[in-house]
Amino acid sequence: PPPPPPPAAAAMPSALKMRRGRPSVAEMRSQLEAFRKPPARTMEAIFNKYFSMCMAHDPPLKEIEVNEPKVNWKALILSLPKPRSQEVLGCGIRKVLLAETECVYFGVYRFHVQRLDGSRSVFEFRDAYDDPYHAYKEKSLHHDVETALRAGVLPRLIQYKEMLAKDKQMELVSHISGLALPWERAVVQHFPVNFQTIVDSFLNENQLKMEQIKLDFDEDHGYRIKDENLLDKWRVFHHSLANYRIISTDEAMEQDHL
């Protein structure tokens, strides 16, 4: 007798037939991820990675190119608050660097976009995230607030330095060593009351915590105090308590407070 016919194959569900030859849900999700900004913790890790690379040199590198091909930098930048996002993106991205930022602090690094026309723009990646886990916009970072507070009174320190330079006919003298200093090597230090003590007194008087002070991006210094009334209060308060002295950049490196 002829051999029995092979058992009939189980019929494929119609839904699977329709999906045959197409990417799976996991594959489609992976494809979509390429068009999204990376998670905040990924950006934190990238920042720390390249910052550590800069600090590993003596002296530290002023800038380093960020080579992270999996990061969608355009999506990240377009997540910045408007109109800042378009200002940073400009004519398009040539490359991204982590570079020291010109502000009232030494050693402050941020991501910089080098555009297709060769121009540059700095941006703070944390401004692209506003989720319950990180809440960067609801709680300011201590170091960033201190940067904004220093920036708010920087004109007063420059005025003091210019006044001394004029009185001494363009020659500044260290109050510690007595040595003559060129302008670029002369640092204004809060003394005898240090800057942190003035800040603590201001916060106590206004019943504030550092992280409660809201900030805005500032092209020159990185951050500025968002509330103009609070900024005015800070300037008046600082002026009432602050005294200064001139020290050298080398002496400043050995001081606990400036």
Side-chain angles (χ1 to χ4, degrees), residues 17 27 64 84 88 114 130 154 179 247-248:
K17 284 182 180 179
E27 289 171 333
I64 187 171
R84 184 64 191 154
V88 174
Q114 182 171 317
D130 189 17
L154 181 61
L179 297 175
I247 59 176
S248 71

Side-chain angles (χ1 to χ4, degrees), residues 112-131:
H112 290 65
V113 170
Q114 182 171 317
R115 305 187 187 96
L116 296 176
D117 62 1
S119 61
R120 280 193 182 190
S121 182
V122 60
F123 70 96
E124 172 55 74
F125 79 88
R126 296 179 185 89
D127 291 344
Y129 298 91
D130 189 17
D131 56 85

Side-chain angles (χ1 to χ4, degrees), residues 49-241:
K49 170 185 171 182
Y50 286 89
F51 179 76
S52 297
M53 291 168 67
C54 289
M55 293 299 106
H57 290 74
D58 187 17
L61 298 178
K62 293 293 185 182
E63 65 179 39
I64 187 171
E65 184 173 349
V66 178
N67 184 18
E68 297 291 336
K70 291 185 179 180
V71 173
N72 188 331
W73 293 103
K74 183 177 181 180
L76 176 67
I77 291 168
L78 289 177
S79 296
L80 296 170
K82 295 181 179 179
R84 184 64 191 154
S85 55
Q86 293 297 332
E87 293 172 355
V88 174
L89 185 61
C91 61
I93 303 168
R94 182 183 300 279
K95 61 182 177 180
V96 175
L97 306 100
L98 186 71
E100 188 173 19
T101 304
E102 293 184 5
C103 70
V104 293
Y105 273 115
F106 292 111
V108 175
Y109 285 72
R110 291 191 177 89
F111 289 117
H112 290 65
V113 170
Q114 182 171 317
R115 305 187 187 96
L116 296 176
D117 62 1
S119 61
R120 280 193 182 190
S121 182
V122 60
F123 70 96
E124 172 55 74
F125 79 88
R126 296 179 185 89
D127 291 344
Y129 298 91
D130 189 17
D131 56 85
Y133 178 73
H134 293 92
Y136 288 125
K137 296 178 185 177
E138 295 301 318
K139 187 175 181 180
S140 301
L141 299 179
H142 185 285
H143 186 275
D144 296 338
V145 175
E146 188 173 340
T147 298
L149 290 170
R150 286 187 181 274
V153 297
L154 181 61
R156 181 73 62 180
L157 275 69
I158 295 174
Q159 184 182 38
Y160 172 81
K161 192 173 176 181
E162 288 175 339
M163 178 189 67
L164 288 186
K166 182 179 180 181
D167 290 345
K168 297 182 183 301
Q169 298 181 341
M170 302 308 293
E171 185 181 77
L172 295 165
V173 176
S174 167
H175 286 219
I176 294 178
S177 66
L179 297 175
L181 302 171
W183 175 274
E184 63 274 9
R185 291 194 62 243
V187 177
V188 179
Q189 180 188 31
H190 289 79
F191 185 85
V193 180
N194 64 54
F195 183 78
Q196 189 58 56
T197 299
I198 299 174
V199 170
D200 291 342
S201 299
F202 176 74
L203 295 176
N204 289 334
E205 181 168 301
N206 291 274
Q207 298 184 343
L208 284 171
K209 295 180 179 179
M210 287 284 269
E211 61 267 22
Q212 293 175 324
I213 298 178
K214 300 295 187 295
L215 305 177
D216 269 340
F217 177 82
D218 185 84
E219 187 72 40
D220 295 323
H221 307 296
Y223 293 102
R224 64 173 176 265
I225 297 173
K226 186 173 184 177
D227 186 334
E228 291 293 332
N229 290 329
L230 184 63
L231 177 58
D232 289 340
K233 283 184 180 180
W234 160 240
R235 285 171 170 160
V236 170
F237 187 89
H238 174 270
H239 182 56
S240 69
L241 291 184

